[in-house]
Amino acid sequence: MNRKGFWIALFLMPTILIFLLIYAVPVFTVVFTSFFDYRGFSGRMTFIGLINYIQLFTSDSSFKKALGNTLIWILLQSTVHVAIGTILALILAKKRFGWKFVRTSYMIPNIISASALGVIFLNVFNPTYGIVNSIIKIFGNKNINTNWFFDYNTAFFTVTITWLIYAGLITILVLAEIMSIPESVFEAAKIDGASDFKINIYIILPMLRNILATCVILAATSMLKEFELIFLTTKGGPADLTLNLPLYLYKTALIENNFGYANTIGTVLIIMGVITIALVTKLFKFGESDV
Amino acid sequence: MNTTNIKDFTTPEFIDAFTKIQKMFKEYTTTDAVGGKYENGANNFLSEKTAMIANGPWMISDFQDPTKAPAGFIDKVGAAIFPGQGVFDAPMLGFFIASKDKEHADATVTLLKYLTSKEVQLRGLEMVGTMPASTNIEIPQEVANKHPLITELIKLANGAKYKYNNYQGLWYPNTLDTLSTNYPALALNKMTPQEFAKKLTEAANKNK
């Protein structure tokens, strides 16, 4: 090893050690123990091969529901959520009156703690005094008493609303990228007679490819770890209608004390995360040059 | 029925109980009861939107708290035990002695005997309206006059035929979770009492 290589290795060592201790060892433990019957606090483990996986994919209706919900939320978050944030960034980039105020205020839901947001939404959607039912009553339907979080027809939609439309982080990231595009690009397009719409579609959006890929990865993976808002509002109910994989993992590990089975769910989550990132990277040609 | 860690909820007693719970949800409560937490039930009762609340003596102090209830609210409230002469038994405090030597252990026992003595229980009732743990305590008239509601409740509870133990301590934790997440399904008629019982049984049998 030459002198330069030695220094590189030396400086990388702390990062590699921290990564191994904080991430690699726990990930290995999760995957390893998913092949065991591992319950309670006794620490006793019995090797059972693929039985946890077979049970998960063949006879566990809660897992199927949680997996389906997680996939739907990943899809919605990486499309609708990112689209909302991007459209708002495109509008704000025109720097019309009050754009700074809108940019700041749209970030507020992102800086409020999830526990506070959960309580806020429980009150907003409360069937008797919640603001949603109160507004609907003002506009005509005096008899409305929909219990938004716990009605079979509205629970999934209501839980989804608690994060889907609050795309402040996406807006900030995309807006920063738009601001970094040289002004001369827009001037050249305008001289060629391009409208604002055409500039957005044919010039700005293609130049945002990398940041949009980053946003989609952030949005999609956030749904692989979404927990607090569901736990604080519906706890995955009614029945399993709003259950997702992180919440199911939590319940299996900490309420049923079935750590082996919970780690099987954890392994599925890790694989889903890797597949999501690989798919988005490929789809957006993330990191590749435009030329 | 008097058992811990129940694994079969499909017995006639449970089906009957779930049928009654479903009826209460459908006909005798507010819309926010489904999925509602304690504060929903308490607010509805304290603001006189509901006539009854199933709760314990710890709520009595709220009845005279002007920040929680309208003036004179406590005078409108009476106490009753459950139909069928039953009372819910919710133990409040428990003690463990972890002293390693006899001297400290004996001293701790002496302290606990004092803390649970008739005198201290009566003082707790007199000062802050705490329900005495013992059923053999005679309540002096001046204390009864000061806390009429809790005194009434103590008399009724002492004459109860049944004491329902705290199911939160008797059931598997995942069964309790299944109970709360499936209550909306039962309440909104998306699940029959039999299906509800089956769900709980399935959850209980996940425990080994």
Side-chain angles (χ1 to χ4, degrees), chain B residues 43-79:
Chain B
N43 284 338
N44 283 329
F45 184 66
L46 295 170
S47 58
E48 301 181 37
K49 284 181 187 154
T50 48
M52 285 191 281
I53 187 166
N55 207 352
W58 47 84
M59 196 187 188
I60 291 173
S61 60
D62 286 357
F63 300 159
Q64 27 196 359
D65 181 345
T67 63
K68 292 180 180 171
F73 183 81
I74 193 163
D75 301 326
K76 299 178 189 173
V77 183

Side-chain angles (χ1 to χ4, degrees), chain B residues 129-150:
Chain B
T130 306
M131 184 127 171
S134 169
T135 52
N136 303 321
I137 289 178
E138 274 195 30
I139 299 167
Q141 196 53 47
E142 66 267 25
V143 179
N145 291 342
K146 195 177 170 191
H147 299 286
L149 200 55
I150 199 161

